[in-house]
Amino acid sequence: MRGFCVILTDMMSKLLLLEDDLSLVTALSFVFKKQGDELEVARTIREADALWSESKYDLLVLDVSLPDGTGFAFCEKVRQVSKVPIMFLTASDEEMNVIMGLNLGADDYITKPFGSAELLARIRTSLRHSTRMNTSSDQLFHPYKCGELILDFEKRTLTISGNIVHLTPISFQITYFLIK
């Protein structure tokens, strides 16, 4: 990793990092936590499988070469059940590996060495695209309900105890991010 430039944002995310290099794990943990992100680390495919089955993540960051398999296999497994953004972060810069990772469903592929500012920008871009896709397709037809509160993604309204609260676009986005 070239530098430790940290760009603070207002978007907190839950990330899974699958990486076996302890020094890189330490550096990335520092960068992500400084951003306010929640990070869980797996150093093997087995650990990643256990964490993946227990939690929901906003984005996965995967290495290719791991002690008990490849990040490609884990990516392929995840893609069978989820559209969560996936980014490969690896020293493996051969064109064939990049193509394989992207063809298996990764959203991005970054090779080492990399700059932390670029990594964070790419992560935020993947998360923005993911949020837009979720808001524009899946969630438009499934209002969020919690007790007397209903957030309707299609009508962009909030209903509390049967009373409709019309939201401005900014108010709707703020409400959406708070609920998320």
Side-chain angles (χ1 to χ4, degrees):
M1 194 158 76
R2 284 186 236 132
F4 283 97
C5 176
V6 177
I7 302 166
L8 295 175
T9 66
D10 60 350
M11 185 190 287
M12 185 178 144
S13 303
K14 186 171 183 182
L15 311 173
L16 173 62
L17 173 63
L18 175 54
E19 172 64 59
D20 63 330
D21 180 343
L22 189 55
S23 62
L24 186 56
V25 167
T26 302
L28 290 175
S29 294
F30 172 79
V31 170
F32 290 135
K33 289 179 182 173
K34 195 76 162 166
Q35 285 290 117
D37 293 320
E38 184 180 335
L39 179 68
E40 292 189 2
V41 176
R43 298 192 57 210
T44 65
I45 299 287
R46 174 184 247 158
E47 289 176 14
D49 280 337
L51 289 171
W52 174 252
S53 67
E54 296 172 6
S55 298
K56 181 182 182 315
Y57 296 96
D58 297 309
L59 183 126
L60 308 180
V61 180
L62 312 176
D63 190 4
V64 171
S65 300
L66 297 153
D68 60 343
T70 69
F72 294 142
F74 187 72
C75 176
E76 195 170 28
K77 181 179 181 177
V78 168
R79 276 293 169 253
Q80 292 175 7
V81 296
S82 176
K83 293 180 182 182
V84 64
I86 298 174
M87 177 180 296
F88 279 101
L89 181 62
T90 179
S92 182
D93 64 352
E94 295 175 20
E95 184 179 24
M96 191 61 184
N97 284 337
V98 175
I99 292 168
M100 182 185 297
L102 295 172
N103 284 341
L104 288 173
D107 299 283
D108 205 348
Y109 194 107
I110 301 173
T111 58
K112 301 171 188 172
F114 59 90
S116 61
E118 179 185 359
L119 172 65
L120 293 171
R122 287 175 180 250
I123 286 173
R124 297 301 172 223
T125 298
S126 290
L127 290 169
R128 265 196 320 272
H129 291 176
S130 173
T131 300
R132 267 191 232 130
M133 287 175 58
N134 288 341
T135 301
S136 65
S137 59
D138 297 342
Q139 294 175 342
L140 285 178
F141 304 105
H142 302 289
Y144 173 81
K145 297 177 183 179
C146 180
E148 297 292 318
L149 181 141
I150 301 171
L151 187 63
D152 189 317
F153 297 97
E154 188 171 25
K155 296 176 186 173
R156 300 185 75 80
T157 58
L158 174 67
T159 304
I160 301 174
S161 301
N163 298 315
I164 295 177
V165 178
H166 297 280
L167 300 173
T168 66
I170 292 172
S171 298
F172 180 83
Q173 286 295 338
I174 291 169
T175 305
Y176 168 77
F177 283 113
L178 288 172
I179 286 175
K180 186 177 180 218

